[in-house]
Amino acid sequence: TYKFGYSRGVRFIFKHWFSLLFVPAAILLLYGVAYFKFNTQIDDWPSIKAFNSAIAMSGLEFRLGTLSNLGTELLSVSVLLMNLTVGWHYSKQVFGCTMVYARYDSYPVTPFQRTLIKASLFSVAFFNFFYLSIYAPEYNSNAVKEAYFFNIPLIPLGLPTALIPIAGAICSVLALGVLVGVFYANYRRTEIWPSPNLVVAWLAFYVWWIPVVRQTEFYFLAIPFFHSLQYLPFAHRMESHQAGHGKGESLRSSIKLAVLLVIGFAAFELVPSLLDERLSTYWSMNCQFFMIAFAIFINIHHFFIDSVAWKFNQKEIQHGLFGEQ
């Protein structure tokens, strides 16, 4: 993802300056403030009081300044943003998989059916977001039902609990709509069923992400792995088209893969854990600051890069995935 976003020239980067330049800079600035001003108290700031008064007028119970300090507050808000962007990102990737396999299989998908498939996937993402924001069983770590992420308390959004059954009902209706309005309707019209590759991509998202049936450890640990695995064939196809098949290319690709694995391990585990240990963040901030910051930064930034790097209307994507000039 980072390669496809930042290796396509300066013009491409500046054309998509918000996602590729502003977002990472803003997040780094946010975490810089969170780290160096971590223990600052903000509950009596006039701006915070004005914001909370405006929110109170809407009827929501969400409030800023309710946690112990500025650092905890910023980390908590960024977790909420990560939950929203990750769900959106995962659903868009699954949608992309279904559309690519539909093209490979010459499976007919009308504009309405395309919209229906996309809506069904987004409904899962929003169902999951409301579930975590309101009920948050995956984050609950004590009998009081307070939600935590890596020992960081999460600010409750104060959303009405009725959103959970409403979102679940919408999710169910849209899933039925895809089964009947896409798969069955196409079979009635053309006597063609979708391929397993197309169906599994769509169905797996429901199985992995529906909050009421998923398994917590699988959701946090296995799903990110399979998400990357799902992405791998498309990235490999793009790389193959760009690199060609010359002598020694296989060795170079293997070396590149090994280097990327090392970089990934360093970014998610080695570097943040060493920083937390050397700077004693757990004792001074009551959290593993860098483990949280690195994970959230990568997830949110990954969403914004993908939003501009993988577009079907881009010539590079059409050529890489479909061999079209």
Side-chain angles (χ1 to χ4, degrees):
T1 294
Y2 277 81
K3 180 181 184 299
F4 292 136
Y6 289 98
S7 65
R8 292 159 70 173
V10 175
R11 180 177 297 180
F12 181 85
I13 293 174
F14 279 95
K15 178 181 178 181
H16 303 285
W17 62 270
F18 180 82
S19 295
L20 300 180
L21 297 175
F22 176 80
V23 168
I27 300 175
L28 289 175
L29 177 62
L30 176 82
Y31 284 137
V33 172
Y35 180 79
F36 290 106
K37 299 291 184 179
F38 193 88
N39 292 310
T40 302
Q41 302 299 312
I42 64 172
D43 55 319
D44 59 346
W45 286 9
S47 57
I48 296 297
K49 292 181 178 179
F51 175 84
N52 288 338
S53 297
I55 292 295
M57 294 174 60
S58 70
L60 294 178
E61 298 177 5
F62 175 76
R63 300 291 186 274
L64 292 177
T66 59
L67 302 181
S68 57
N69 49 53
L70 175 62
T72 303
E73 196 92 15
L74 292 177
L75 289 177
S76 180
V77 170
S78 66
V79 171
L80 295 175
L81 178 60
M82 180 187 69
N83 285 341
L84 183 62
T85 57
V86 165
W88 189 281
H89 165 63
Y90 275 42
S91 58
K92 284 295 291 291
Q93 177 168 306
V94 174
F95 175 71
C97 289
T98 60
M99 294 299 100
V100 168
Y101 283 124
R103 176 78 71 87
Y104 288 163
D105 301 333
S106 298
Y107 184 74
V109 178
T110 67
F112 172 76
Q113 290 174 333
R114 177 188 172 96
T115 300
L116 186 58
I117 294 172
K118 183 186 293 187
S120 72
L121 295 169
F122 279 143
S123 72
V124 176
F126 280 104
F127 184 17
N128 179 71
F129 178 75
F130 292 143
Y131 190 79
L132 289 179
S133 300
I134 298 171
Y135 181 49
E138 281 84 353
Y139 294 150
N140 289 337
S141 59
N142 54 41
V144 185
K145 298 299 182 184
E146 295 174 334
Y148 286 81
F149 179 84
F150 276 88
N151 207 42
I152 284 291
L154 299 183
I155 306 174
L157 289 178
L159 299 173
T161 56
L163 281 175
I164 293 179
I166 292 174
I170 293 174
C171 188
S172 301
V173 170
L174 289 174
L176 182 62
V178 171
L179 292 174
V180 176
V182 180
F183 301 152
Y184 181 68
N186 284 349
Y187 178 75
R188 286 287 302 273
R189 188 174 68 255
T190 65
E191 296 188 350
I192 298 176
W193 288 109
S195 69
N197 286 334
L198 189 155
V199 174
V200 166
W202 176 81
L203 182 61
F205 192 58
Y206 272 80
V207 174
W208 294 346
W209 268 67
I210 291 293
V212 294
V213 298
R214 69 174 174 230
Q215 203 271 342
T216 301
E217 287 74 17
F218 185 86
Y219 172 70
F220 277 112
L221 300 177
I223 289 180
F225 169 77
F226 285 109
H227 169 71
S228 301
L229 192 63
Q230 184 184 59
Y231 172 85
L232 189 59
F234 303 98
H236 174 71
R237 190 176 180 94
M238 290 290 298
E239 286 281 346
S240 298
H241 275 276
Q242 293 178 358
H245 303 281
K247 184 178 180 180
E249 188 56 43
S250 178
L251 177 60
R252 285 192 291 269
S253 297
S254 298
I255 294 174
K256 184 186 298 184
L257 178 60
V259 171
L260 290 175
L261 287 174
V262 172
I263 293 175
F265 172 73
F268 277 101
E269 290 288 341
L270 182 61
V271 173
S273 63
L274 287 176
L275 287 172
D276 281 321
E277 180 181 352
R278 295 296 177 87
L279 298 175
S280 302
T281 59
Y282 188 82
W283 305 111
S284 61
M285 302 177 180
N286 197 34
C287 70
Q288 295 172 289
F289 179 88
F290 290 100
M291 286 292 290
I292 298 170
F294 271 60
I296 296 175
F297 174 86
I298 292 172
N299 276 287
I300 295 177
H301 191 205
H302 180 57
F303 160 77
F304 281 96
I305 296 174
D306 269 16
S307 69
V308 299
W310 291 92
K311 295 286 189 181
F312 282 166
N313 59 359
Q314 295 174 354
K315 293 182 178 180
E316 298 92 335
I317 301 300
Q318 293 176 3
H319 176 65
L321 295 180
F322 308 119
E324 299 176 358
Q325 298 296 335

